[in-house]
Amino acid sequence: MPKDKQSQMPSLQDLLAGRGDMDEESRRKLEALLRTLSLQEDDSKNKKDMESHRFWRTQPVLKYDEVSDEIGAIEPSVPVDQVKQTPESLPNDFEWCELDMRDEQDAKELYDFLTKNYVEDDGGQFRFDYSFEFLRWALQPPGWRKDWLVGVRVTSTRRLVAFISAIPVHLRTMDKVTLMTEINFLNVHKRLRSKRLAPVMIREITRRSHLQGIFQAVYTAGAVLPKPVSTCQYFHRSLNPKKLVECGFSRVPHNSTMARMIKNYKVPEKPALEGFRVMEAKDVPEVRALLNKFLARYQFAPEFESDEEIVHWILPHEKVVWSYVVEDPTTHKITDMVSFYSLPSTVIGNPKHSTLNAAYLFYYATDKGLPEQKGGELDEQAQATFGNRLNEVMADALVMARKQDFDVFNALHLMDNHTFLSTQKFGSGDGFLNFYVYNWRCPEVQQEKIGLVML
Ligand SMILES: CCCCCCCCCCCCCC(=O)SCCNC(=O)CCNC(=O)[C@H](O)C(C)(C)COP(=O)(O)OP(=O)(O)OC[C@H]1O[C@@H](n2cnc3c(N)ncnc32)[C@H](O)[C@@H]1OP(=O)(O)O
């Protein structure tokens, strides 16, 4: 989930649009330079000392200068009956509430609140506009709980002014699988910012996780906090360059024209892989086996423990998630899968466009080139087969995204995305997403070894 997304927001400069016509070498050099500059900037942010974090310095997280080669809890778990039974105190005039996403009115209220107050890019040009259907889907996976969808209301008016959510996830760090909560959608009303309400929200969701016997959490943010396990850059693939330019998301490079951009980003009418089709319910067990085997390649990845989870997260869900499989025409085995989700952004103050339709790459897998043994390394030949195949699968995913009228296709530089980002004409964006774990000591993870995609 690209967020706090301020800097994670696939935002202002689709810089690569400005590099579309460069020769490959200049392009690589410019990318390397930009990467170095942004890493330096990131580094200086990281040097922010712990003392300045009034809240985070009190929490069980690694300090900026701490490195761990061990994996395990920072603080021990406590018996559930010793967990504080009463909610955190809120300032006078505010009260806790729970949002029931089965209830039309609660879901609509949360949608309205996030649409007006959630993550914006640094320039205030775009704001995430997670749809009503999306929020219902994202917040009710198997194992969801109403008491993990926590809001704050103004007592007198009942107005919703803050929110935070948790859902369960089995996260594998290296070879250790732990049941954690995945924290998302932390939001405080614009008018109530900088009043230390966020730490209260975080403490309350922590208490509610503890009440269920869960003492670890995973979350992502654009904000730099102590201490990222990994940091991944955003990449963007234009599908509708004209609209992206009109929205201020991309620019026409000085040595190019709109007509050339349109030609450059045109995708075929139809997918090319034989057997490429929409995923169906009958594919669920095979997709689960394929995806879990594929995710074993990474050091920080979810495990899908049941078919029910695949039904929820991966099976197509109208207006929310699109998923495709490749069925081998001879054996009828599912050899590949790819999915993406819809996360539009409001275009703020643009006379022509109000919404940017963005697709985000979700989970994918292939068995081409993968060794039989789970998590096994690829030799050189297998690596080539694997890279070619991922390119073919992604090219078809782009075709389908364009057909669904998405303007841009976003992806992070995680998993094996490096094999196709530049070939499929993705350009690096100015956003970064930090991955964090709470109360979990673990070594840093390279971005290519992250296998978790958060919404
Ligand atoms: C075991 C279970 C554990 C469960 C919990 C695990 C941890 C979960 C952690 C949450 C994961 C969320 C994942 C997502 O949803 S990331 C998405 C975050 N949301 C947005 O960016 C939406 C727009 N922004 C806002 O709504 C507000 O600015 C927020 C709510 C972000 C902060 O409100 P506000 O601006 O009014 O500030 P404050 O005065 O109340 O509080 C200031 C303190 O808050 C720290 N802060 C600021 N931003 C974040 C952030 N994104 N994650 C964690 N901490 C953050 C900040 O460093 C400072 O602490 P310290 O520096 O002084 O120490």
Side-chain angles (χ1 to χ4, degrees):
M1 98 207 141
K3 329 281 173 74
D4 167 351
K5 291 176 183 184
Q6 285 128 341
S7 59
Q8 326 152 353
M9 186 91 174
S11 62
L12 305 176
Q13 303 115 310
D14 184 359
L15 284 168
L16 209 60
R19 280 174 261 150
D21 289 344
M22 280 184 188
D23 63 69
E24 200 45 40
E25 200 192 334
S26 320
R27 181 172 136 130
R28 256 201 309 274
K29 277 189 188 154
L30 184 53
E31 285 210 326
L33 179 66
L34 284 170
R35 230 182 336 264
T36 314
L37 287 173
S38 55
L39 287 179
Q40 279 170 359
E41 191 192 327
D42 234 47
D43 232 36
S44 70
K45 277 191 214 153
N46 271 333
K47 291 208 175 92
K48 204 164 129 184
D49 67 297
M50 287 300 292
E51 283 316 296
S52 65
H53 288 292
R54 240 165 79 198
F55 169 66
W56 281 107
R57 72 182 180 216
T58 67
Q59 298 299 300
V61 292
L62 292 188
K63 300 183 179 56
Y64 288 125
D65 58 4
E66 241 179 308
V67 255
S68 176
D69 42 20
E70 289 160 30
I71 302 168
I74 295 173
E75 283 179 0
S77 311
V78 299
V80 168
D81 60 4
Q82 286 174 27
V83 176
K84 188 166 153 279
Q85 297 296 311
T86 49
E88 292 294 310
S89 313
L90 281 172
N92 282 345
D93 307 327
F94 294 96
E95 63 185 39
W96 293 110
C97 69
E98 289 167 8
L99 292 178
D100 186 343
M101 297 306 283
R102 293 164 303 188
D103 180 277
E104 193 86 14
Q105 202 181 323
D106 274 14
K108 173 80 171 51
E109 207 178 356
L110 179 62
Y111 167 74
D112 286 341
F113 172 61
L114 292 178
T115 293
K116 293 186 186 119
N117 294 280
Y118 203 46
V119 179
E120 292 180 12
D121 71 297
D122 285 337
Q125 263 184 300
F126 304 100
R127 183 168 53 243
F128 281 140
D129 182 18
Y130 286 92
S131 72
F132 171 86
E133 294 82 5
F134 190 108
L135 292 170
R136 279 191 144 173
W137 169 74
L139 296 173
Q140 297 182 99
W144 74 276
R145 307 178 55 89
K146 186 157 81 73
D147 57 5
W148 282 354
L149 308 181
V150 185
V152 171
R153 290 186 191 281
V154 176
T155 308
S156 57
T157 60
R158 317 284 310 139
R159 189 170 177 183
L160 184 67
V161 290
F163 182 74
I164 193 165
S165 68
I167 55 169
V169 61
H170 284 94
L171 184 78
R172 183 174 49 76
T173 39
M174 316 301 162
D175 55 4
K176 204 167 167 60
V177 180
T178 315
L179 175 60
M180 302 191 181
T181 41
E182 191 174 296
I183 309 296
N184 204 349
F185 302 111
L186 168 60
N187 197 193
V188 167
H189 192 285
K190 285 186 173 199
R191 297 231 184 94
L192 289 176
R193 298 270 166 89
S194 304
K195 297 184 190 308
R196 314 298 302 179
L197 187 52
V200 182
M201 306 297 295
I202 296 169
R203 282 203 178 94
E204 181 59 13
I205 202 77
T206 302
R207 189 185 73 85
R208 291 176 188 225
S209 290
H210 288 175
L211 281 173
Q212 301 308 319
I214 298 181
F215 293 85
Q216 276 72 39
V218 59
Y219 48 104
T220 55
V224 179
L225 308 164
K227 180 201 171 174
V229 172
S230 194
T231 300
C232 301
Q233 187 170 16
Y234 271 101
F235 280 71
H236 314 292
R237 201 314 182 163
S238 301
L239 294 171
N240 185 355
K242 184 164 181 287
K243 179 167 167 192
L244 293 183
V245 168
E246 286 167 357
C247 289
F249 186 89
S250 316
R251 279 169 295 136
V252 182
H254 69 273
N255 57 351
S256 188
T257 61
M258 179 56 75
R260 272 154 81 185
M261 271 177 99
I262 292 172
K263 189 163 170 238
N264 182 42
Y265 289 120
K266 200 167 163 41
V267 295
E269 286 298 312
K270 284 200 245 147
L273 278 169
E274 204 184 342
F276 186 94
R277 61 164 173 82
V278 172
M279 180 185 169
E280 296 171 30
K282 66 175 186 198
D283 305 320
V284 165
E286 255 190 287
V287 165
R288 176 154 84 98
L290 176 68
L291 186 53
N292 278 336
K293 182 176 173 200
F294 189 78
L295 291 174
R297 290 181 53 67
Y298 308 109
Q299 294 172 341
F300 191 91
E303 285 211 342
F304 293 98
E305 302 272 313
S306 64
D307 284 354
E308 207 193 342
E309 289 181 42
I310 297 291
V311 168
H312 181 84
W313 289 120
I314 311 290
L315 205 57
H317 191 121
E318 213 185 333
K319 299 192 204 156
V320 176
V321 64
W322 285 258
S323 302
Y324 302 90
V325 294
V326 183
E327 178 182 328
D328 185 297
T330 321
T331 63
H332 299 289
K333 257 189 68 188
I334 304 298
T335 53
D336 314 77
M337 60 82 51
V338 60
S339 55
F340 53 84
Y341 62 83
S342 163
L343 167 47
S345 278
T346 302
V347 186
I348 304 167
N350 186 287
K352 193 157 177 193
H353 301 285
S354 55
T355 301
L356 191 69
N357 294 317
Y360 284 72
L361 180 58
F362 199 32
Y363 288 101
Y364 63 85
T366 182
D367 72 358
K368 301 283 177 202
L370 267 202
E372 270 312 305
Q373 172 210 356
K374 237 185 174 184
E377 286 300 315
L378 276 66
D379 63 28
E380 209 174 303
Q381 198 192 339
Q383 185 68 50
T385 311
F386 177 81
N388 288 340
R389 186 59 170 199
L390 285 186
N391 267 282
E392 291 173 328
V393 171
M394 290 309 149
D396 283 355
L398 291 172
V399 169
M400 300 320 289
R402 184 67 193 117
K403 271 193 186 306
Q404 306 299 330
D405 218 23
F406 286 104
D407 302 316
V408 62
F409 194 102
N410 297 330
L412 284 159
H413 196 293
L414 43 65
M415 295 173 74
D416 282 285
N417 298 2
H418 59 96
T419 58
F420 59 79
L421 286 173
S422 96
T423 328
Q424 297 304 323
K425 301 183 180 171
F426 282 76
S428 53
D430 56 5
F432 289 84
L433 185 64
N434 300 296
F435 284 74
Y436 298 98
V437 271
Y438 183 93
N439 192 21
W440 198 239
R441 200 182 286 290
C442 100
E444 282 179 19
V445 177
Q446 287 172 6
Q447 46 184 358
E448 294 82 13
K449 287 289 171 193
I450 294 281
L452 175 72
V453 184
M454 280 188 57
L455 305 171

